Amino acid sequence: MKIAIVGAGISGLATAHLLQQRHEITVFEAGATAGGHANTVRVDTEDATHHVDTGFIVFNDRNYPNFERLLSRLGVASQPSDMSFGVSDGGDFEYNGSSPNGLFAKRAHLVTPWFHRMMADLVRFNGHAKTLLAQGGEGPSLGHWLDAGGYSRAFVERLIVPQASAVWSADPRQMWTFPARFLVEFFANHGMLGFAKRPQWKTVVGGSRTYVDAITRPFAARMRLDTPVTAIERDGDGVSITPRGGQAERFDEVVLATHSDQALRMLGAEATDREHEILGAIPYQPNEAVLHTDRALLPRRRRAWASWNYHLLPEPTGLTTVTYHMNRLQALSADREFCVTLNRAEAIDPAKVLRTIQYAHPVFTPEGAVAQKRHHEISGRNRTHFAGAYWHWGFHEDGVASAVKVAERFGARL
């Protein structure tokens, strides 16, 4: 069968990997390189070369079974990662939750009542979350659920909302309408509703580009980079794909392994009412990532440094603000601190900026959670299949899982 795969992020690459041996595939990618969020930047210093990830960084041994299976098939190695989370306002308030030394990085917090209340609320939150999961149903929004639980303002604004905002690269204010059940299910699956038996986090040895190079090698000649698709037309006999500046090409089927909003734009007037309804319920939000070496973006006290460092800002910007400490996450042995900061370019010393990259992440809402369950209503119909991490939690494993789901319709398995 002749199949067009549009998008060369993890979903498109995994789909191509599964289908390329039994079908005639062509992969269209708008960007100059394949990989999407698997975007590793090579940095040459005076003494060494480092490969620093800027988008997809970590996975674990509990929640990424399909991705781990894929790495095994490709013969790509992984290594343990340090996964810790902290919050800082850039001055007087900061903590790193991975140890007592980091938690009380500011020693005055040892005798600060509201700080101890914040920690007590975390224990209470973990218990209430398990109760919410046992109840079933869609449940309330996170804002309503936290209000009903009587949690302290410090816990909400300085712990749980920053953590959720960082995980989903989402506007902190958006967390109030975020489905509470969606969040606690994720926390439960990742061992975050307790302090023991947490999963082992890992990174790809040499950066995520290592797996991208390995997965694309067999079908590199069938990839069209720098080739945006401008139109898709479907009829009873097949699908016409029109690349920018080119003529329409015919295929038997098409896999749209792009973001939901990108898929709708390419379908244009061809999109059905149901495709508009379902895909339109899962929008995307842009986030700017800056790779740099400005340690001023890390907490003031070194014992508060974490792998993920959330920035508490005096005025909300409508975007998440977090700095990933890549030396910890990728076990980089370097003479400087490599950081990736989201949405705070103005605070970074321009002389220490290495690369600026634009990403986009799905925005999850109650309507989106309902739309995810309707995937079967549009995928596999009208010669069109939809793959993407946005069909579940929004992470790399979800991209692979969506590819597996599509590939199984063609008789291919991981």
Side-chain angles (χ1 to χ4, degrees), residues 25 55 69 79 141 144 146 203 237 299 314 319 334 370 377 412:
I25 66 163
R69 195 172 298 123
Q79 64 186 11
S141 69
H144 282 112
L146 292 174
T203 59
D237 297 322
L319 297 167
V370 173
E377 295 183 26

Side-chain angles (χ1 to χ4, degrees), residues 18 40 88 91 102 105 123 153 163 182 190 200 206 234 261 271 274 291 316 318 326 332 338 345 362 367:
L18 294 170
T40 308
S88 173
V123 175
R153 182 176 176 182
Q163 194 168 61
F182 190 86
H190 287 74
Q200 172 62 60
R234 302 168 290 185
D261 55 345
R274 190 161 293 182
L291 172 62
M326 301 310 300
L332 300 176
F338 289 110
E367 296 77 19

Side-chain angles (χ1 to χ4, degrees), residues 47 66 110 134 139 200 316 340:
D47 303 317
N66 290 294
L110 285 164
Q200 172 62 60
V340 174

Side-chain angles (χ1 to χ4, degrees), residues 281-407:
I282 311 175
Y284 271 72
Q285 173 177 287
N287 287 294
E288 181 181 72
V290 179
L291 172 62
H292 63 91
T293 58
D294 188 354
R295 61 187 292 169
L297 272 293
L298 293 168
R300 188 160 61 99
R301 301 166 179 84
R302 192 178 184 102
R303 56 181 172 263
W305 287 12
S307 300
W308 293 35
N309 302 275
Y310 186 87
H311 300 275
L312 278 178
L313 302 181
E315 296 295 331
T317 64
L319 297 167
T320 191
T321 48
V322 61
T323 291
Y324 306 102
H325 188 196
M326 301 310 300
N327 299 58
R328 288 170 177 253
L329 285 162
Q330 288 188 267
L332 300 176
S333 179
D335 60 356
R336 65 205 69 187
E337 309 303 332
F338 289 110
C339 301
V340 174
T341 295
L342 293 187
N343 305 316
R344 284 205 75 193
E346 74 287 349
I348 303 169
D349 181 351
K352 297 180 179 180
V353 171
L354 301 173
R355 187 76 58 86
T356 299
I357 305 133
Q358 303 299 326
Y359 291 115
H361 297 87
V363 177
F364 294 108
T365 63
E367 296 77 19
V370 173
Q372 287 176 329
K373 298 174 183 178
R374 301 177 61 193
H375 177 263
H376 64 282
E377 295 183 26
I378 59 173
S379 191
R381 300 171 183 269
N382 205 12
R383 298 183 177 271
T384 308
H385 310 262
F386 294 92
Y390 65 90
W391 288 111
H392 203 42
W393 304 108
F395 301 103
H396 239 54
E397 170 66 17
D398 306 308
V400 181
S402 73
V404 168
K405 195 171 184 177
V406 167

Side-chain angles (χ1 to χ4, degrees), residues 44-376:
D44 295 310
T45 66
E46 295 83 356
D47 303 317
T49 294
H50 304 281
H51 296 90
V52 188
D53 283 326
T54 61
F56 163 68
I57 302 170
V58 293
F59 62 100
N60 68 54
D61 60 354
R62 183 184 304 173
N63 306 104
Y64 289 71
N66 290 294
F67 183 64
E68 286 208 306
R69 195 172 298 123
L70 180 63
L71 292 186
S72 178
R73 283 180 58 152
L74 297 172
V76 173
S78 62
Q79 64 186 11
S81 177
D82 176 325
M83 191 65 160
S84 53
F85 179 78
V87 176
S88 173
D89 65 2
D92 200 41
F93 175 85
E94 53 192 22
Y95 68 84
N96 168 3
S98 64
S99 69
N101 188 46
L103 184 63
F104 295 101
K106 180 183 177 181
R107 296 308 193 219
H109 285 159
L110 285 164
V111 292
T112 303
W114 65 260
F115 192 86
H116 285 272
R117 164 75 189 278
M118 184 176 78
M119 293 298 104
D121 275 347
L122 175 60
V123 175
R124 212 159 53 86
F125 172 89
N126 291 340
H128 288 173
K130 293 171 184 176
T131 301
L132 177 65
L133 288 176
Q135 289 173 350
E138 294 299 325
S141 69
L142 181 62
H144 282 112
W145 187 62
L146 292 174
D147 281 344
Y151 293 100
S152 66
R153 182 176 176 182
F155 171 76
V156 173
E157 296 180 356
R158 300 188 176 210
L159 198 157
I160 198 65
V161 167
Q163 194 168 61
S165 174
V167 166
W168 279 282
S169 301
D171 178 356
R173 295 171 298 181
Q174 181 196 104
M175 293 298 100
W176 290 105
T177 59
F178 203 82
R181 185 177 181 83
F182 190 86
L183 181 139
V184 299
E185 279 182 352
F186 176 85
F187 279 16
N189 291 340
H190 287 74
M192 296 167 67
L193 297 181
F195 304 99
K197 297 182 180 180
R198 294 196 169 189
Q200 172 62 60
W201 289 91
K202 308 176 186 180
T203 59
V204 177
V205 173
S208 58
R209 287 297 309 179
T210 304
Y211 94 74
V212 175
D213 292 341
I215 199 172
T216 56
R217 199 168 294 124
F219 54 86
R222 289 172 280 173
M223 294 186 63
R224 310 268 193 88
L225 300 177
D226 273 325
T227 310
V229 169
T230 58
I232 298 173
E233 297 180 13
R234 302 168 290 185
D235 55 51
D237 297 322
V239 182
S240 294
I241 305 291
T242 304
R244 185 177 63 190
Q247 300 296 316
E249 302 175 38
R250 293 290 288 178
F251 295 89
D252 297 310
E253 306 269 336
V254 61
V255 179
L256 293 179
T258 64
H259 298 168
S260 52
D261 55 345
Q262 294 170 334
L264 275 177
R265 283 198 298 271
M266 284 184 285
L267 289 171
E270 275 279 307
T272 66
D273 290 343
R274 190 161 293 182
E275 286 168 341
H276 272 294
E277 183 181 344
I278 296 173
L279 296 174
I282 311 175
Y284 271 72
Q285 173 177 287
N287 287 294
E288 181 181 72
V290 179
L291 172 62
H292 63 91
T293 58
D294 188 354
R295 61 187 292 169
L297 272 293
L298 293 168
R300 188 160 61 99
R301 301 166 179 84
R302 192 178 184 102
R303 56 181 172 263
W305 287 12
S307 300
W308 293 35
N309 302 275
Y310 186 87
H311 300 275
L312 278 178
L313 302 181
E315 296 295 331
T317 64
L319 297 167
T320 191
T321 48
V322 61
T323 291
Y324 306 102
H325 188 196
M326 301 310 300
N327 299 58
R328 288 170 177 253
L329 285 162
Q330 288 188 267
L332 300 176
S333 179
D335 60 356
R336 65 205 69 187
E337 309 303 332
F338 289 110
C339 301
V340 174
T341 295
L342 293 187
N343 305 316
R344 284 205 75 193
E346 74 287 349
I348 303 169
D349 181 351
K352 297 180 179 180
V353 171
L354 301 173
R355 187 76 58 86
T356 299
I357 305 133
Q358 303 299 326
Y359 291 115
H361 297 87
V363 177
F364 294 108
T365 63
E367 296 77 19
V370 173
Q372 287 176 329
K373 298 174 183 178
R374 301 177 61 193
H375 177 263
H376 64 282

